[in-house]
Amino acid sequence: MKLFIDTANLDEIREVHSWGILSGVTTNPSLIAREGRDFIEVVHEICELVQGPVSAEVTAQDAEGMIREGRLLAQIHEHVVVKVPLLEPGLMACSVLASEGIAVNVTLCFQASQALLAGLAGATYVSPFIGRIDDISWDGGELIEHITEIYAQSPSIHTQVLAASLRHPQHLVQAALSGADVATCPYKVLKQALKHPLTDIGNQRFLEDWEAVPERDISVLVQRWLQSR
Ligand code: G3P
């Protein structure tokens, strides 16, 4: 499973990108609004930094408007993925944009039947919203399993399942175990996913024990060993 970050904040993206584990970025109108910056500039900067797929969402509500906005967004950078909502106009826009070779992320997916339609419309990604499904007491992991199974049985569908709306590290694990191709995580969830108190305690104990070693500068030790050979 690949990992994307779900944010439009350049500092967060820069930090996680430096870990060497980031394959792409997803944004949405709420995340862009939070930054208070020019939409197009932000998307371009993110694309340049990450050099991988970056979802940028249309805001028109009719198919014609979504297609027009999608074509424009696709001109910002080769890595832009046009994001459209899983509504009737979104499906129509996805079919047209995909037929023109534009990558599309169909978002706000809450049931497997929607994902089937997005797949048939040629979506590059479909985004089931795991956290929001939990909010209504349904099982996000089961939804991902159903979608991946449907796609596996449909040779004409090449859509990747992009697990979104992940609220905690367990959602990330659930996405991976359920067969998602990609998970997009907020910065906070990625930090939580990395951190474990026993890792910190264990690391501290190793350092304390190492203090008892008289000669402990590794570069000096290795240089001396290399010269003695
Ligand atoms: O990727 C979708 C995400 O931004 C929505 O997350 O936590 O608002 O459901 P949330």
Side-chain angles (χ1 to χ4, degrees):
M1 187 180 74
K2 288 183 186 158
L3 206 55
F4 289 3
I5 187 169
D6 193 32
T7 183
N9 183 285
L10 259 298
D11 291 335
E12 293 180 352
I13 297 168
R14 228 174 262 120
E15 182 183 335
V16 175
H17 184 247
S18 74
W19 301 353
I21 49 103
L22 196 63
S23 298
V25 178
T26 50
T27 70
N28 61 39
S30 310
L31 294 171
I32 294 281
R34 208 175 288 168
E35 296 309 303
R37 295 188 52 205
D38 181 275
F39 176 29
I40 309 305
E41 287 290 334
V42 172
V43 170
H44 186 263
E45 279 178 41
I46 297 173
C47 289
E48 282 289 295
L49 174 63
V50 174
Q51 294 296 325
V54 176
S55 291
E57 192 155 346
V58 300
T59 49
Q61 290 301 295
D62 61 306
E64 205 178 305
M66 288 182 189
I67 294 164
R68 190 178 57 250
E69 288 183 2
R71 285 176 180 149
L72 289 168
L73 290 173
Q75 288 178 49
I76 301 174
H77 200 281
E78 59 180 327
H79 289 308
V80 165
V81 176
V82 175
K83 209 172 178 187
V84 300
L86 230 169
L87 303 166
E88 198 173 316
L91 204 59
M92 290 162 69
C94 176
S95 299
V96 172
L97 294 169
S99 74
E100 294 174 4
I102 294 173
V104 182
N105 175 359
V106 184
T107 189
L108 290 164
C109 175
F110 292 92
Q111 57 186 355
S113 58
Q114 291 179 307
L116 172 62
L117 300 184
L120 292 171
T124 303
Y125 301 101
V126 69
S127 296
F129 272 37
I130 305 310
R132 293 191 197 182
I133 287 168
D134 281 2
D135 290 345
I136 53 168
S137 301
W138 283 51
D139 185 343
E142 189 178 276
L143 174 62
I144 294 175
E145 278 169 25
H146 286 175
I147 299 172
T148 51
E149 201 171 322
I150 289 168
Y151 286 178
Q153 289 175 26
S154 312
S156 65
I157 295 180
H158 306 291
T159 307
Q160 296 181 52
V161 181
L162 196 169
S165 179
L166 307 184
R167 307 268 177 76
H168 47 71
Q170 203 48 35
H171 272 153
L172 184 58
V173 174
Q174 193 181 21
L177 288 175
S178 307
D181 299 289
V182 188
T184 188
C185 279
Y187 171 80
K188 188 177 138 218
V189 175
L190 287 170
K191 295 286 272 193
Q192 290 170 337
L194 177 62
K195 189 144 181 82
H196 195 285
L198 288 177
T199 307
D200 294 338
I201 291 168
N203 187 48
Q204 189 54 38
R205 196 169 301 156
F206 287 152
L207 286 180
E208 285 161 12
D209 290 346
W210 188 242
E211 288 296 311
V213 176
E215 294 247 39
R216 55 183 184 276
D217 184 327
I218 289 175
S219 60
V220 171
L221 290 169
V222 172
Q223 285 300 337
R224 190 187 304 157
W225 179 78
L226 287 172
Q227 281 161 12
S228 70
R229 297 182 85 216

